[in-house]
Amino acid sequence: ISQFASCAFVVGFLFSKRPQVRISFGGYSIKKIGKLFLLGFPPFAIIALDSVLIIVLNATLQRYGGVEGDLYVSCATIAQSFLFLVTGPLAGLTGGTQAIISFNLGAQNFDRIKKSEKVILLFGVVFMIFMMVIANVLCGVFARMFTSDTILLEKSIWAIRIMTLGIIPLAFQYTFVDGFTALGKVGISLFLSMFRKAIYITSALVLPIYFGVESIFYAEAISDVLGAIMSSIFFSTIFLSFIRKNLKKQKMMAELSKGVDITIEKHTI
């Protein structure tokens, strides 16, 4: 019902007279369709792989959990539900900035692109700090929505706190990945997303071999931190370099244009 309601709202808006650019039919460009497909592929791949991660997590917990395998799977389900309350709004924040960045890229307003990334990163970090506090203070209230079993409740509270250890760095990951997508650098954003997923799967498979079943819950925090570090490296070396290069180019063009104007003015005099 919610999916149909959301679809009806979006389609109704796009076909109404309110948007400046309305949906029309005909005149399709295969090149533009392909570009749109590439821009939409990273979010698709991320969501698809999230399902794979859940499968790997549950299967690993069942394998190494023994007779308590179902208990650990239940803990992971409750903790993953809480994480959705963290990543869902964060994805909305960072994804919503893509339109601003893409628009200003077309307008060649690179200062505003840089400012947009700073503002959204600040919002993301503040939100994640808030959710970190919630995870440690009110996780018991959230877990009680799912179970009243004392053992499951205790382990679920522990699982939520462990799996949210790296959510503050996650703000950097989401901001920078969506920023690269907005610039049309789909390959980079896809690589950064896949890197984090690969770290998660590797950690979930390797950790229990040496440290036991409960170490699997640390895979989320490890992937969040390492993913954020990798994204920050790419952002500081590629994204900011791209902005500085274009700002420098604009400055040179402005100075050149100013010199031409002075020459023309002298010639006229």
Side-chain angles (χ1 to χ4, degrees):
I1 294 174
S2 63
Q3 293 287 359
F4 274 109
S6 176
C7 178
F9 173 79
V10 173
V11 173
F13 173 80
L14 293 176
F15 277 98
S16 68
K17 296 180 179 180
R18 285 180 291 174
Q20 293 181 333
V21 180
R22 298 174 62 188
I23 287 182
S24 59
F25 298 95
Y28 301 115
S29 169
I30 300 299
K31 184 178 180 180
K32 290 182 180 179
I33 291 174
K35 189 174 182 179
L36 289 173
F37 174 82
L38 289 175
L39 290 175
F41 185 77
F44 162 78
I46 292 170
I47 295 174
L49 276 177
D50 281 341
S51 300
V52 176
L53 295 184
I54 294 174
I55 294 172
V56 172
L57 176 63
N58 290 345
T60 311
L61 289 171
Q62 284 283 6
R63 177 180 178 181
Y64 292 96
V67 294
E68 293 185 330
D70 290 340
L71 175 65
Y72 285 113
V73 170
S74 299
C75 291
T77 301
I78 296 173
Q80 288 284 354
S81 299
F82 183 84
L83 279 175
F84 181 76
L85 297 179
V86 176
T87 58
L90 180 63
L93 279 172
T94 58
T97 316
Q98 289 184 340
I100 298 174
I101 294 176
S102 296
F103 177 86
N104 284 282
L105 177 64
Q108 299 291 292
N109 194 341
F110 298 100
D111 276 325
R112 198 173 186 195
I113 293 175
K114 189 176 181 179
K115 183 179 179 181
S116 298
E117 284 290 277
K118 287 182 179 179
V119 171
I120 201 63
L121 178 60
L122 176 62
F123 272 106
V125 170
V126 170
F127 174 71
M128 286 312 203
I129 292 175
F130 173 76
M131 292 307 296
M132 173 69 86
V133 174
I134 295 297
N136 285 273
V137 177
L138 299 178
C139 57
V141 177
F142 181 83
R144 288 186 184 92
M145 297 179 184
F146 295 84
T147 181
S148 58
D149 182 83
T150 304
I151 297 177
L152 178 57
L153 186 62
E154 181 182 345
K155 286 190 176 294
S156 297
I157 292 173
W158 173 83
I160 290 174
R161 288 172 175 167
I162 294 301
M163 294 181 75
T164 55
L165 286 174
I167 60 174
I168 294 178
L170 199 58
F172 292 81
Q173 168 82 10
Y174 273 61
T175 300
F176 298 155
V177 168
D178 284 344
F180 276 117
T181 303
L183 291 182
K185 299 183 181 297
V186 181
I188 296 176
S189 60
L190 188 59
F191 167 78
L192 293 175
S193 297
M194 296 302 103
F195 175 81
R196 176 170 167 260
K197 306 297 183 185
I199 293 295
Y200 186 100
I201 293 176
T202 303
S203 299
L205 293 175
V206 174
L207 286 176
I209 298 175
Y210 300 99
F211 304 105
V213 62
E214 291 190 351
S215 64
I216 299 173
F217 289 95
Y218 287 90
E220 179 71 35
I222 292 173
S223 63
D224 290 344
V225 172
L226 294 182
I229 292 174
M230 181 63 72
S231 297
S232 299
I233 292 173
F234 272 69
F235 179 80
S236 60
T237 57
I238 298 177
F239 193 102
L240 292 181
S241 177
F242 173 79
I243 298 298
R244 286 192 294 265
K245 180 180 178 181
N246 282 277
L247 284 174
K248 184 178 179 180
K249 183 178 179 181
Q250 282 186 337
K251 185 178 179 180
M252 291 177 59
M253 292 297 294
E255 292 177 352
L256 181 62
S257 177
K258 184 178 179 181
V260 171
D261 291 340
I262 294 173
T263 303
I264 292 175
E265 183 178 352
K266 288 181 178 180
H267 181 73
T268 305
I269 292 172

